[in-house]
Amino acid sequence: MAYDVTFIPGDGIGPEVSGAMRRVIEATGIEFNWDVQEAGEAVLEREGELIPDRVLDSIRKNGVGIKGPLTTPVGTGFRSANVALRKALDLYANLRPSKSYPGVRSRYTSVDIVVVRENTEDLYAGVEFEKDAEGTSEVIDFLRNASGQPIRDDSAISIKPISVTGSERIVRFAFEYAKANNRKLVTAVHKANIMKFSDGLFLEVAQNVAKDYPDIEFNDRIVDNLSMQMVSRPEEYDVLVLPNLYGDIISDLCAGLVGGLGLAPGGNIGENGAVFEPVHGSAPRYTGQNRVNPTATILTGALMLRHLGEQDAAERVEGAVAEVIREGKDVTYDFKPDRNDPSAVGTQEMADAIIKKMQSGKRS
């Protein structure tokens, strides 16, 4: 059976790293019908949109998409293409695994954490009122009267919506992920000691959902305390589930624990579709140089394979990536102890080495 998948090459280095990923996951023997769709800065001038409707229609039809990084033009008024995709398709769960790989320079050797971030609510919902804008003074007056708290006239206002619906589905997603992937612990992260109604609701819902999963351990951590513990003993954590803002920050912290965004795959998943993307940006200054590290995008391909139920293929990709990095021979410059090491290989050559590892493992 061939899977129908929307393929968005991306901008900048996107076509290089996503092309490398495509070759690697095709080498698993899994068949794909790729629906190639251009999006981002590359089509903005032609079509007037970063994410044309045809791209959204393709993902809705196929149910799964994978993309390279997209550039959001600065100063144009366009919001992030990635955020636009998540909102248009209600991709409410952001999945960010972070895992230690021998051969990567890092202070830690035993990190294996999955961040499950709520994608649609919280301070990132975009409910904001600009300082001195029309209507902002009315909002300030209402909040003063309703809360009894002093709010300065020259304030900008952001609203933090946290709902039972949004909280329940993201926490349940985290537990279902843990159950499907033999994870033992889910930790809800919050600031309920201060934000007693919004974060307090998130925690209350998490505690209630946890009762439905008695075989999976559950605990909770205040976000600032978690941050301290993550840099002192990250091995104690497994699956983290967080509201949007905390999830954004903690997921990057986790990436830093294992070596950086060059090792950070990501997926955005909803009830009716999923879009997978590496976490790093489009790095336009490296476009066309065949120089950048493709690992995050290749691991994103493996994450997509797991979503499709192709666990064996995903494990073969991840195992081959780990072995190539461990050997340290056919890797890009950023994996070398000296970034000027002339033995560093290019993007496509590292992908070739990963494919070779998969093929040799299959023969043995």
Side-chain angles (χ1 to χ4, degrees), residues 140 143-145 147-153 155 157:
I140 291 173
L143 293 174
R144 282 174 180 152
N145 293 331
S147 69
Q149 299 294 324
I151 301 174
R152 294 185 177 93
D153 289 333
S155 296
I157 302 292

Side-chain angles (χ1 to χ4, degrees), residues 75 179 207 234 246 329 363:
K179 182 178 176 180
Q207 291 167 335
Y246 308 147
K329 177 173 167 285
R363 286 194 298 270

Side-chain angles (χ1 to χ4, degrees), residues 61-125:
K61 174 176 176 289
N62 295 323
V64 180
I66 191 164
K67 58 181 282 298
L70 291 173
T71 303
T72 298
V74 176
T76 62
F78 284 91
R79 64 180 177 175
S80 162
N82 299 326
V83 172
L85 274 173
R86 296 169 192 170
K87 285 186 174 292
L89 300 169
D90 193 26
L91 305 177
Y92 67 87
N94 180 236
L95 190 62
R96 286 274 301 271
S98 293
K99 184 176 180 179
S100 297
Y101 285 92
V104 176
R105 292 187 305 281
S106 173
R107 296 178 183 273
Y108 305 91
T109 58
S110 57
V111 176
D112 187 4
I113 296 171
V114 177
V115 172
V116 178
R117 165 190 170 192
E118 204 287 323
N119 243 353
T120 66
E121 297 190 323
D122 195 16
L123 287 168
Y124 284 10

Side-chain angles (χ1 to χ4, degrees), residues 314-358:
E315 287 173 9
R316 285 191 285 126
V317 171
E318 292 166 357
V321 168
E323 187 64 14
V324 168
I325 293 173
R326 185 191 66 79
E327 289 181 354
K329 177 173 167 285
D330 296 308
V331 294
T332 50
Y333 72 95
D334 51 316
F335 283 119
K336 298 288 187 178
D338 178 358
R339 293 168 71 91
N340 296 312
D341 189 332
S343 70
V345 303
T347 307
Q348 304 309 320
E349 289 72 24
M350 185 170 177
D352 291 340
I354 292 167
I355 292 169
K356 187 175 179 180
K357 284 290 181 189
M358 284 197 300

